[in-house]
Amino acid sequence: MTQAPATTSSITGTDQDAPSYGTYAPTPWEARLIAFARRQPATWTGKRLAFLSRRMVMMRLTHPLDVEVFGQRMRLNPFNNVSEKRILFTPQYFDPVERDILARHIRDGFVFVDIGANIGGYALFAAGLAGAGARILAVEPQPIIFDRLVQNIALNPSGTVKAIACALADKEGEMTLFLSASNKGESSVKFVGTPGTEDQTVQVPARTLLGLLEEERIDRIDALKIDAEGAEDLILVPFLRDAPKALLPRLFIIENARGRWQTDCIALLKRMGYRQVAETRLNVVLERD
């Protein structure tokens, strides 16, 4: 199979005609409700109040909103992407355990690879903490979401995040990406929809993780987050088999999709000397010395 090169975009590769930040600023009423939702604790009552506030805003909202989250500027479209809705209204509930562990691993020259970056929640969170010496790759295959990712990167001055438009898998070439009709952030090279629904497909360039890292001249990784909607094993198994030991990340944040894997990635990492340090509703976190 011939290799289809990944489409890449850095912070300078954005649409210069896009409306400037602040064009979609929340109204005072929206801003108060969003701030109220963000103050709510992770209790039953707190979550009910936060979701009520979110519903009140969503009932009238017809456009994206320009807001600050994790100290970063973002333009968020909460209508058809669960991740954007969570980050806009309740960032305190957005993987707090995982983000806390990630923050503790940040150091000078931090190298972070975000696979399934969506609109940049993890990548921009890390960029805001890591400083100008960091290097962050944000890999996202879904074209519409990739455009939003690039736009969010461009809204911030760090210059440390590079967006890469491709799917990662166990082979190079071109692959079919399955898109969820109800959640644009949910896409995978494994079928994720329900037969008979309006789920769509798109052809995208595919790379192996090792091939992409070699092309980007990355020789070490401090942390890697992977959320590939059940395709984590297609990406990680060949990488863990073929990568030099020096390239193995110190920290893994992996979406827990054991029921959809042919190879248990978490068990494989444990056999390789990683220890599990956390398991949340969505993810498993492993690290090595």
Side-chain angles (χ1 to χ4, degrees):
M1 179 177 291
T2 58
Q3 176 177 314
T7 301
T8 62
S9 177
S10 68
I11 194 169
T12 58
T14 57
D15 183 359
Q16 298 300 316
D17 295 327
S20 61
Y21 180 79
T23 300
Y24 300 116
T27 66
W29 176 81
E30 291 168 342
R32 286 194 294 271
L33 284 172
I34 292 170
F36 177 79
R38 291 181 177 187
R39 290 196 300 268
Q40 299 312 304
T43 61
W44 186 91
T45 301
K47 289 180 177 180
R48 300 286 78 72
L49 290 172
F51 296 155
L52 176 61
S53 300
R54 182 182 74 187
R55 188 178 303 115
M56 293 172 67
V57 174
M58 291 294 296
M59 287 175 63
R60 300 184 181 183
L61 194 64
T62 60
H63 53 75
L65 289 178
D66 294 342
V67 295
E68 289 196 10
V69 189
F70 309 138
Q72 302 289 288
R73 291 178 169 185
M74 294 189 190
R75 175 163 293 164
L76 298 171
N77 291 266
F79 313 103
N80 50 20
N81 187 356
V82 171
S83 182
E84 288 181 86
K85 186 180 291 186
R86 293 174 65 202
I87 292 172
L88 172 60
F89 291 101
T90 52
Q92 72 274 29
Y93 305 154
F94 182 78
D95 296 359
V97 172
E98 296 91 329
R99 287 190 292 108
D100 181 63
I101 295 171
L102 178 63
R104 295 203 300 266
H105 279 74
I106 291 176
R107 57 175 179 163
D108 290 341
F110 185 65
V111 179
F112 179 46
V113 178
D114 186 356
I115 300 171
N118 206 290
I119 50 81
Y122 267 91
L124 289 171
F125 169 78
L129 296 177
R135 188 170 183 199
I136 299 170
L137 294 185
V139 184
E140 174 55 47
Q142 215 276 62
I144 292 175
I145 298 301
F146 178 80
D147 288 344
R148 297 179 188 178
L149 167 66
V150 172
Q151 187 173 69
N152 284 334
I153 293 170
L155 293 177
N156 297 279
S158 68
T160 60
V161 184
K162 181 177 182 179
I164 299 178
C166 73
L168 292 180
D170 57 348
K171 58 186 177 182
E172 306 267 347
E174 189 175 74
M175 299 190 75
T176 299
L177 186 71
F178 296 92
L179 311 177
S180 169
S182 60
N183 179 11
K184 290 188 180 298
E186 187 179 63
S187 60
S188 177
V189 295
K190 291 185 176 180
F191 183 65
V192 297
T194 302
T197 68
E198 297 178 355
D199 295 307
Q200 300 176 338
T201 63
V202 63
Q203 296 299 117
V204 296
R207 305 294 311 276
T208 65
L209 176 55
L210 183 57
L212 181 63
L213 295 174
E214 289 174 344
E215 183 177 285
E216 294 295 324
R217 298 185 178 181
I218 288 180
D219 56 11
R220 70 172 177 84
I221 302 172
D222 292 303
L224 184 147
K225 178 230 116 185
I226 179 167
D227 179 352
E229 302 298 334
E232 292 79 13
D233 57 336
L234 294 181
I235 299 167
L236 291 181
V237 170
F239 172 73
L240 295 172
R241 180 190 64 223
D242 300 333
K245 186 174 181 180
L247 194 55
L248 297 179
R250 294 175 57 232
L251 177 73
F252 271 101
I253 302 172
I254 305 177
E255 182 184 30
N256 189 351
R258 283 185 177 101
R260 298 167 64 186
W261 296 338
Q262 293 183 343
T263 300
D264 188 331
C265 299
I266 296 164
L268 176 58
L269 284 168
K270 289 179 178 179
R271 290 197 297 271
M272 296 180 66
Y274 285 84
R275 63 183 183 279
Q276 182 173 319
V277 295
E279 181 169 356
T280 66
R281 185 174 66 88
L282 299 175
N283 302 301
V284 176
V285 184
L286 304 102
E287 62 182 18
R288 67 179 178 89
D289 296 327

